[in-house]
Amino acid sequence: MDGNRFLDNLKDDFRRGALAQRDALSVEARADAAKVIAAAPLPVELPPGTIVAGYSPINSELDPFPLMRALADKGATLALPVIIARNHALIFREWQPDEGLVRGPYGIFQPSSDADEVDPDIVLVPLAAFDRAGHRIGYGRGYYDRTLENLRRIKKVTVIGVAFAVQEIETVPRLPHDEQLDCVLTERELIDLRRL
């Protein structure tokens, strides 16, 4: 077995374990965590016109919408990802909390094609597992890694993993194409990796 395949298999094991921890949280605990995170200060400035991309939560993911609404109240422009299946990548379209969403690939809700495409300054990233070095395990399709790599080529962007504290693992196996997080925000703490 080659090294990359070994790491992929290891990631699969960590992913299953972290998702089981996340799934075991009660609905109330998830809602409480989303409220705590929405009230927490972000480690970056939000000058007028800052574009913050969140995500539409699926399964037992932490719901970022309370945080996104709080950021919109502070003047941020919001966006959500749109899956471009043929490229295995994402684009971001502007979105307001009162606007409806349409069901996209994998059943994930996203803005309609009428919404303006934007390049965010801050990206809130869902994940299955994370470590304190800023590495994450997603769902294995690589959408965020490809998208963040492309976005970081064109502008400075702050990437914040949003998760429950129970999703932390000691060390995430890292492959060369894996994009690193700048921060991780959980209901317990903000892990700011930009100073490390």
Side-chain angles (χ1 to χ4, degrees):
M1 182 182 296
D2 68 33
N4 283 355
R5 184 172 296 174
F6 173 77
L7 289 180
D8 280 337
N9 289 340
L10 197 55
K11 277 187 173 185
D12 285 342
D13 291 342
F14 286 135
R15 181 181 296 114
R16 277 191 293 275
L19 291 178
Q21 292 281 348
R22 191 180 80 185
D23 291 345
L25 293 171
S26 69
V27 172
E28 295 80 12
R30 289 184 207 140
D32 289 346
K35 288 178 192 168
V36 168
I37 286 173
L42 284 187
V44 292
E45 296 293 319
L46 282 175
T50 300
I51 301 170
V52 178
Y55 58 91
S56 293
I58 58 171
N59 304 319
S60 60
E61 281 180 343
L62 192 137
D63 182 355
F65 288 156
L67 172 58
M68 293 174 70
R69 287 185 191 96
L71 296 174
D73 289 345
K74 294 177 182 174
T77 298
L78 301 181
L80 288 172
V82 172
I83 296 171
I84 308 300
R86 68 182 177 276
N87 296 339
H88 295 283
L90 306 168
I91 61 168
F92 297 94
R93 291 194 183 277
E94 198 169 324
W95 175 75
Q96 295 297 323
D98 59 347
E99 292 176 348
L101 298 169
V102 299
R103 195 176 292 274
Y106 309 111
I108 299 172
F109 287 99
Q110 59 189 34
S112 76
S113 58
D114 297 336
D116 290 340
E117 187 175 340
V118 294
D119 292 323
D121 304 294
I122 299 170
V123 182
L124 306 176
V125 179
L127 49 86
F130 69 92
D131 67 18
R132 289 189 173 259
H135 305 127
R136 69 181 275 276
I137 297 175
Y139 298 108
R141 294 188 182 105
Y143 283 96
Y144 272 98
D145 289 317
R146 276 185 288 279
T147 302
L148 295 173
E149 179 184 14
N150 292 337
L151 191 56
R152 283 171 162 161
R153 280 190 193 132
I154 62 171
K155 70 186 299 185
K156 182 177 181 345
V157 60
T158 302
V159 180
I160 303 174
V162 184
F164 300 104
V166 297
Q167 293 174 257
E168 181 179 348
I169 64 174
E170 188 170 339
T171 304
V172 169
R174 188 156 187 239
L175 293 168
H177 66 270
D178 291 340
E179 288 290 315
Q180 193 162 349
L181 302 169
D182 296 304
C183 307
V184 180
L185 186 57
T186 77
E187 75 277 22
R188 290 190 193 151
E189 65 183 318
L190 167 72
I191 303 166
D192 190 344
L193 300 150
R194 296 166 307 154
R195 298 183 211 130
L196 301 180

